[in-house]
Amino acid sequence: MSRQLVTIFGGSGFVGRHVVRRLAADGWLCRVAVRNPDSATFLKVDGDPGQVVPFAADVTDMKSVERAVVGAKRVVNLVGILYQKGRRTFQRVHVDGAANVAKAARAAGVERLVQMSAIGADPNSPAAYGRTKAAGEAAAKAAFDEVSIVRPSVVFGPEDDFFNRFAAMARISPVLPEFPAKFQPVYVADVASAIARILDDPDTRGKTYELGGPRVITFHEFLELVLRVTGRHRPIVAIPMSLAALQATFLELLPVPPLTRDQLKLLGRDNVVSPGALTLSDLGISPTTMEAVLPTYLHRYRPQTKQRKRLA
């Protein structure tokens, strides 16, 4: 394939770096559109010299978005936030940002657009995160008719913020909190492969894909898996939602909150692929199991063993 340009908004993030690596391996010229280009320089080694280029852009700034899509044949918008802080609100990032990218892509004559959303995107969601993800999908569709939507469940991989968070918690906390939700964790490399195939297959135009792993687990099973992989033993305690909400009220005041009241509302709902949805299998991808991957990066949370005495 002759090298063509793809712009990846949010390409230095957890999912983004895997998408960039996959697209670079497929031969694309990758413009990594991020607020701070210096944060994306590590991705340059994932391609030939000049193949992966960090580019200053903020999805909430239309002029920078327009500059970022000039000359691109494909565009991927992966930008999202888990909590609001200052001007980085769900409305500005998830909705206005998605609209800006879609409008700019259409005006620039971009052939394909992929918008990453999330399972749980629902205009009637109790969480602002879920409502604005749904509104972002609608905004992208209104501006770019054939936008393809991907909705992953909880994404796992070496840099994830979910399995790592609870594995770290198990090191210091005497108990682990249990919530009522079920999940269908999906491997980050499978998500990257899905986006790459969507960009390459014209039959995916205008379709929505829900990306989940090979099995659904309860929150209790998730915590048991984390403890088993990390070699830890901790009681798992169901926390009353009222108490958790009180804790979240204070935790969300931290610079990087480990839990917010909005996230708590998400944890009260299942996060699994909907019946009849298009999935990884419709893209020819066999989902990777958690057991095959988690030990490769959660091992660092295992208890430290005594060092062997050095031989004299």
Side-chain angles (χ1 to χ4, degrees), residues 141-226:
K141 290 176 181 177
F144 198 103
D145 291 341
E146 295 186 322
V147 59
S148 300
I149 307 291
V150 291
R151 296 175 178 167
S153 182
V154 173
V155 183
F156 67 91
E159 310 89 355
D160 72 54
D161 190 43
F162 198 72
F163 281 84
N164 277 298
R165 180 187 305 187
F166 283 91
M169 186 184 299
R171 285 200 300 198
I172 60 176
S173 176
V175 300
L176 292 181
E178 177 184 353
F179 297 98
K182 294 179 181 178
F183 304 94
Q184 197 168 346
V186 59
Y187 183 36
V188 65
D190 292 342
V191 175
S193 293
I195 291 172
R197 295 195 182 186
I198 289 170
L199 289 175
D200 193 50
D201 185 353
D203 290 339
T204 63
R205 294 175 185 270
K207 295 179 180 178
T208 297
Y209 293 84
E210 297 197 358
L211 310 181
R215 69 185 178 99
V216 174
I217 60 172
T218 65
F219 207 95
H220 190 94
E221 291 170 328
F222 152 69
L223 292 174
E224 286 183 328
L225 179 57
V226 169

Side-chain angles (χ1 to χ4, degrees), residues 163-164 167 226 229-230 293-302:
F163 281 84
N164 277 298
V226 169
V229 172
T230 60
V293 177
L294 294 180
T296 66
Y297 68 94
L298 292 187
H299 63 83
R300 61 182 179 271
Y301 298 102
R302 296 182 66 86

Side-chain angles (χ1 to χ4, degrees), residues 27-39:
W28 288 92
L29 295 175
C30 297
R31 180 181 290 159
V32 185
V34 291
R35 288 188 297 160
N36 178 11
D38 290 341
S39 69

